[in-house]
Amino acid sequence: MAQTIRVERMRSTDIDELLPIEQELFGAERWTAGMFRSELEQDHYYLVARDAAGVVLGYAGLAVMAPEEAWVNNLAVRRAAQRQGIGERLLTALLDEATRRGATRVLLEVAVDNAAAQQLYERHGFAAIAVRRGYYQPSNTDALVMARE
């Protein structure tokens, strides 16, 4: 039986639930509570995915940087909830919002060693356009820049 997932706008009160997911997935490269607060204060578009009990399973954020350009700032799903379509739902919702706001180009950065995420993005029309050497710190991992026109 598939679990019920709700996707809704992130609130500042959700930030504490994101931090363990950040730690689990990104370790030393995780975002801080202050970084998420700053994103929300700048009115960037952030979503959370919750299970039936209200527990945050994943989150994603979008920033519209120019009238026609948007960036996916992050997309994360707790390991235990991955491969259940949650990331797909979050990404689709971000892309719908980018379109609603008039963005004709959406970009993102993803670690070069994150093949699963790259495949998700490719299924949604993203293609690699550049590499940012040593982008993720402190691991010095390269980032693949992907764009969807």
Side-chain angles (χ1 to χ4, degrees):
M1 181 169 122
Q3 75 175 311
T4 302
I5 304 295
R6 290 188 330 266
V7 174
E8 57 193 36
R9 286 294 295 267
M10 182 188 292
R11 301 179 308 265
S12 60
T13 55
D14 295 322
I15 293 173
D16 286 343
E17 279 193 80
L18 310 182
L19 301 179
I21 302 170
E22 279 287 307
Q23 176 62 43
E24 174 190 24
L25 299 177
F26 306 114
E29 295 164 355
R30 69 191 175 278
W31 278 31
T32 65
M35 293 165 86
F36 283 108
R37 270 191 215 91
S38 175
E39 292 290 296
L40 293 177
E41 288 167 4
Q42 293 176 61
D43 202 29
H44 292 171
Y45 185 76
Y46 271 75
L47 299 170
V48 293
R50 298 179 189 283
D51 67 11
V55 174
V56 174
L57 301 177
Y59 51 92
L62 179 81
V64 178
M65 306 305 286
E68 58 282 325
E69 185 177 285
W71 281 83
V72 173
N73 290 343
N74 46 38
L75 191 152
V77 176
R78 37 174 106 247
R79 278 202 178 94
Q82 290 178 359
R83 307 232 187 291
Q84 297 176 30
I86 297 168
E88 189 104 27
R89 285 192 55 195
L90 287 165
L91 180 60
T92 298
L94 291 186
L95 295 174
D96 289 348
E97 181 67 12
T99 299
R100 190 184 72 71
R101 292 188 185 197
T104 55
R105 184 175 205 219
V106 181
L107 298 109
L108 58 84
E109 292 135 343
V110 59
V112 294
D113 58 0
N114 190 342
Q118 290 171 37
Q119 289 169 1
L120 169 65
Y121 301 138
E122 287 168 356
R123 284 195 308 273
H124 285 270
F126 285 85
I129 60 168
V131 174
R132 294 187 188 202
R133 302 276 174 223
Y135 181 78
Y136 296 104
Q137 294 297 322
S139 70
N140 205 40
T141 301
D142 295 344
L144 190 62
V145 180
M146 300 181 81
R148 175 183 193 244
E149 303 294 335

